[in-house]
Amino acid sequence: MIYKTDYHVHSRFSDGRSEPGDYISPAVAAGLKEIGFSEHLTLFRESLNWSMRGSDVKPYLDHIQSLSTNTTNIKVRTGLEVDFFPGKEKEISSFLDTINVDYVIGSVHYLGDLTVDMGPEFYDGKNIDTLFEIYFDNVSAAAASGLFDIIAHCDLIRIYGFKPSSDPEPLYRKLAKSFRPHDVAFELNTNGRNRPIMDFYPDRKYLKIFWEENVPVCVNSDAHMPSRVGQYFDEAYDLLRSAGYKEMAVFKNRERFMIPFE
Ligand SMILES: [Zn+2]
Ligand SMILES: [Zn+2]
């Protein structure tokens, strides 16, 4: 039996649809051993309707901690999905030093002032090859920052199906190589299936590269509603097995443990 965890879940504390407690029964029904909440935290940007601000974090963590204490049929973990901004490492680090969580997921949503996943217009008139290179460089910088335990949807730039003009394999190789020295995990994010790309992140063709480069992995749903917790996980584990993976990364108090599939 695989020790299933889902560490990437959004509730009404950021852009999810439901109370955190509403995710517990579906998580148990999906056979998960741990569920972790990872609300968006986007520092340096005001008034986003999809993200918490710094001052929202404490009430959120108190809520999840209390849910964890009162839940016996599954372990409940506390996390955050934090936007990475190159050059702002110190500020993000100072903020993270003030809180206690089980893990921090680092995400690149922004390239400059705009996010890559808020509509295909972002890509209008832009060179797709250059966008892929910049996006992958930013994800590498997020990994190298040492701020994060897990890197989210590492090729989100695929979301609308735009493709570089040549095989992006070297980009994935460089990315995976950049993760290893910083001891950061990546996620197989199943929510891409519900987005325009209709497939997981990262591109399944390149999962083997992450295994060859010895990068630890988690399977995450990025659920924004209870019915999507643990969604498509069996397919995700099958893909990881085919790529060579035999163990999963689990987190507690910002420490990583590896648990074998069987
Ligand atoms: Zn995200
Ligand atoms: Zn997310």
Side-chain angles (χ1 to χ4, degrees):
M1 278 272 280
I2 292 180
Y3 187 90
K4 294 182 182 171
T5 62
D6 189 350
Y7 290 138
H8 193 154
V9 173
H10 300 277
S11 77
R12 58 103 179 154
F13 279 94
S14 60
D15 59 346
R17 306 266 170 87
S18 298
E19 285 293 326
D22 295 341
Y23 290 76
I24 300 298
S25 293
V28 172
L32 304 185
K33 296 286 191 282
E34 300 185 15
I35 179 170
F37 291 88
S38 59
E39 306 299 350
H40 289 285
L41 173 64
T42 311
L43 300 169
F44 326 112
R45 295 286 189 278
E46 289 297 314
S47 313
L48 296 172
N49 59 9
W50 52 272
S51 177
M52 297 189 298
R53 298 179 212 188
S55 56
D56 301 325
V57 171
K58 185 154 187 329
Y60 153 64
L61 290 178
D62 286 348
H63 186 103
I64 304 301
Q65 198 51 57
S66 144
L67 179 65
S68 177
T69 306
N70 294 310
T71 303
T72 52
N73 49 353
I74 185 169
K75 287 179 183 149
V76 178
R77 301 294 188 213
T78 54
L80 288 170
E81 179 180 6
V82 176
D83 275 278
F84 177 71
F85 295 96
K88 294 285 192 186
E89 290 84 348
K90 270 200 187 124
E91 290 90 336
I92 298 172
S93 175
S94 303
F95 183 86
L96 294 178
D97 283 347
T98 66
I99 56 165
N100 287 316
V101 286
D102 289 309
Y103 57 86
V104 179
I105 301 178
S107 285
V108 176
H109 298 113
Y110 281 89
L111 288 187
D113 291 333
L114 299 172
T115 63
V116 301
D117 60 342
M118 283 295 176
E121 330 55 81
F122 174 83
Y123 299 78
D124 285 351
K126 295 196 171 87
N127 181 308
I128 300 300
D129 290 350
T130 310
L131 278 185
F132 266 69
E133 279 165 30
I134 296 172
Y135 188 83
F136 276 61
D137 279 352
N138 277 14
V139 176
S140 281
S145 72
L147 294 166
F148 308 119
D149 304 295
I150 304 166
I151 296 294
H153 42 62
C154 66
D155 59 1
L156 181 65
I157 196 78
R158 285 168 56 241
I159 184 167
Y160 298 106
F162 294 107
K163 289 183 180 157
S165 58
S166 57
D167 183 355
E169 179 174 342
L171 287 177
Y172 285 90
R173 178 71 65 184
K174 195 169 144 202
L175 186 68
K177 275 188 191 300
S178 78
F179 280 27
R180 187 57 252 174
H182 306 288
D183 198 31
V184 64
F186 80 112
E187 65 171 13
L188 181 51
N189 180 313
T190 61
N191 190 41
R193 183 68 67 81
N194 303 312
R195 307 304 305 277
I197 185 72
M198 293 189 290
D199 201 0
F200 300 161
Y201 308 107
D203 189 329
R204 58 186 68 206
K205 272 191 284 194
Y206 306 111
L207 285 174
K208 200 172 172 47
I209 291 178
F210 290 85
W211 176 75
E212 286 167 355
E213 299 298 340
N214 202 17
V215 183
V217 68
C218 307
V219 177
N220 288 332
S221 71
D222 206 349
H224 288 68
M225 59 187 85
S227 60
R228 290 188 176 170
V229 171
Q231 196 179 28
Y232 309 125
F233 272 27
D234 287 339
E235 183 182 346
Y237 291 115
D238 283 348
L239 282 173
L240 288 177
R241 271 187 217 277
S242 318
Y245 277 96
K246 295 185 178 64
E247 54 184 11
M248 305 299 301
V250 301
F251 294 89
K252 191 178 181 201
N253 293 330
R254 301 213 63 186
E255 213 182 320
R256 176 165 60 74
F257 306 88
M258 300 306 296
I259 297 197
F261 279 170
E262 309 300 343

